[in-house]
Amino acid sequence: MALNDVIGQEKAVAILQGILKKKRLASSYLFCGESGIGKKMAAINFAKAVNCLNLPGGSDDARARFLSAAPRSPGGADYDACDACTSCIKIDSGAHPDIILIGPQEGLIKIDEVRSIEEALSFRPYEGSKKVVIVDDADTMNQAAANTFLKTLEEPPEDSLIILVSSRPDRLLPTIRSRCSLIVFHPLSLDSCRQILDGKIAAHDIEQAVCLSLGRPGLALTGNVAGDRDRFMDLLKSMLRSEKDSWSSREEVDGWFDQALLFMRDLAVLKITGKQTLLINVDMAENLAGLGKSLELKGIINIYKELSLMKVMWLFNLNKSLTWNYTASLLRKELVL
Ligand SMILES: [Zn+2]
């Protein structure tokens, strides 16, 4: 595939192709936006396009070494990967020596991993015009790794391209963020989600997955959006029954607050419009309508505001059990399931 095949991210793709066309490649980029919307896929295909032997005005050296008679893909954009040359094929199979992809191991990118990048970048590209390092979930670098990585960003080796991919760019060191050119990715439209999920998940699950994934089809493909929502509901009921902290991990708390805000959003939408078709949790429309009857719009909005605040405060390392108890007491004032 190529940049043009990244569905629903036309704006980001146009910016990347513009960079290739104008030959204004920066040394480092930060691809940011929510999880599961195509950032990593775009990063790999940008790396492909940068090194594609059929890119107009590409490296003559590379062309001479890897003369490829492959035609450009029919209908493909000029400033994109051709998907057919030796370089594109090698990158697709993960066998290109100049493309290095790293990501977290057990939730963390450690200093050893960053040092291996430094070492790899210290050599000139073997085959391609640029040596490309893609750091997936770059915000999972620990302090030591981030500080070491910053040095590489400050003095990027010649012929290198670094692409950081992150759904939580606010967790990156500000000094790392400021060194990168920002490419912003947005959640996809419902139609783009359907297009991506079509044929990949069972037909009768598509509409629910499209709604619950909120424009993030990657989540519907790699995770279990319906299962996550059910788990959220179980935890919500535990809270309302005054049970003790049942969040299994800090990561689960992040997702729980996201789900809670969607839940309150649905209650507000139903209260204001009465239209079940506008709900995200559309399969729970009857339950939400029943619950909404006993609630005032003002109360729903108040809970939404408090939960939004809690979600932000949570990032400052709040104690998990205290957060559970506080959130539960907040919800019990208004909600009865
Ligand atoms: Zn190519």
Side-chain angles (χ1 to χ4, degrees), residues 140-170:
T140 59
M141 272 187 257
N142 65 17
Q143 190 78 28
N147 285 330
T148 304
F149 190 68
L150 183 59
K151 288 185 200 122
T152 307
L153 278 181
E154 282 169 342
E155 290 174 32
E158 208 182 330
D159 296 332
S160 70
L161 169 65
I162 296 169
I163 307 174
L164 304 184
V165 176
S166 173
S167 55
R168 289 173 183 168
D170 50 308

Side-chain angles (χ1 to χ4, degrees), residues 27-43:
S27 57
S28 46
Y29 289 89
L30 170 57
F31 285 18
C32 64
E34 295 193 39
S35 300
I37 59 174
K39 302 185 297 298
K40 184 172 152 194
M41 190 185 285

Side-chain angles (χ1 to χ4, degrees), residues 188-202:
L188 276 63
S189 67
L190 294 183
D191 279 346
S192 295
C193 280
R194 270 187 209 104
Q195 201 182 333
I196 290 171
L197 297 179
D198 188 28
K200 298 195 179 83
I201 59 177

